Amino acid sequence: MEANQFRKFLKFNFKHYFRLFWQKQRLGFCGDRVFFDDNVELMRFPKGIRIAGQVALKEGVRICACNPTASVSIGENTTIGYHTFIFASEQITIGKNCLIAPFVYLVDSDHEINRMSLINQQPNKTAPIIIGDDVWLGSNVTVLKGVRIGDGAVVGANSLVNADVEPYTIVGGVPAKVIGKRE
């Protein structure tokens, strides 16, 4: 199997090996040959973050386990695109061999909106996000709490995913709707 263009030309240098060494000390788990590009931030509770081997995190990625019990897990051979934000208050799981394009936003929580109290004093509501293996999320996709995206699914650019996506289904739009199946 031939590597995609990014992986085909991916070169590790001293700074990448240093970043890998540093992150292995901080994270709950960090596999081998994880590529940490410039300005990648693993925030708040890095022990809640697990990154399998051969993952590539491009410049500007932000991953946050927002509290001591929150978890983020990224499967092997997955690429996370430029300036993608992954914020877990409960759990976000990304499978193996996934492509996450630039500017994707994954967040497993939102706020209650009761009219009788101030918005900034209301609690979060959380539900896990589960992304299967071999999934492609296009640029500027937002995935909201409680969504499960099945193996092999494709989400078109600029989509808002607020409901589950069946395996090998292609979805797009705001909110995302089925537009096809992978053959």
Side-chain angles (χ1 to χ4, degrees):
M1 180 165 89
E2 187 173 324
N4 67 28
Q5 179 175 307
F6 173 73
R7 288 184 180 275
K8 183 177 180 180
F9 297 104
L10 184 63
K11 302 290 185 225
F12 278 78
N13 61 33
F14 176 77
K15 72 179 179 180
H16 297 113
Y17 286 110
F18 177 77
R19 289 177 187 150
L20 177 59
F21 172 79
W22 171 247
Q23 297 300 357
K24 281 183 178 253
Q25 313 311 307
R26 300 180 62 234
L27 298 177
F29 177 80
C30 184
D32 293 329
R33 302 273 307 162
V34 174
F35 179 83
F36 291 94
D37 207 349
D38 295 331
N39 302 313
V40 169
E41 291 189 36
L42 306 171
M43 303 174 346
R44 293 195 191 160
F45 296 93
K47 289 294 184 194
I49 301 170
R50 301 182 56 80
I51 302 173
Q54 306 290 330
V55 167
L57 303 172
K58 294 184 180 181
E59 183 170 354
V61 167
R62 304 287 184 266
I63 301 173
C64 183
C66 296
N67 61 63
T69 62
S71 68
V72 175
S73 177
I74 302 172
E76 66 185 23
N77 203 38
T78 287
T79 300
I80 308 293
Y82 297 102
H83 305 287
T84 288
F85 286 24
I86 302 170
F87 284 78
S89 291
E90 186 173 331
Q91 175 190 2
I92 297 176
T93 302
I94 300 170
K96 60 187 176 192
N97 300 305
C98 293
L99 294 176
I100 311 295
F103 303 103
V104 169
Y105 185 62
L106 307 175
V107 59
D108 71 350
S109 67
D110 62 19
H111 289 276
E112 289 189 9
I113 56 171
N114 183 322
R115 184 176 172 180
M116 302 311 288
S117 62
L118 297 172
I119 200 90
N120 66 356
Q121 295 178 359
Q122 296 186 43
N124 279 358
K125 296 186 296 184
T126 66
I129 293 173
I130 310 294
I131 297 173
D133 298 336
D134 187 33
V135 169
W136 180 17
L137 302 181
S139 294
N140 297 302
V141 165
T142 297
V143 179
L144 300 180
K145 71 177 175 36
V147 168
R148 179 179 294 271
I149 298 177
D151 292 348
V154 175
V155 179
N158 301 307
S159 296
L160 172 69
V161 185
N162 62 358
D164 291 353
V165 178
E166 293 296 316
Y168 301 98
T169 300
I170 303 167
V171 300
V174 179
K177 303 276 189 235
V178 174
I179 57 177
K181 290 291 245 181
R182 277 180 68 185
E183 298 295 323

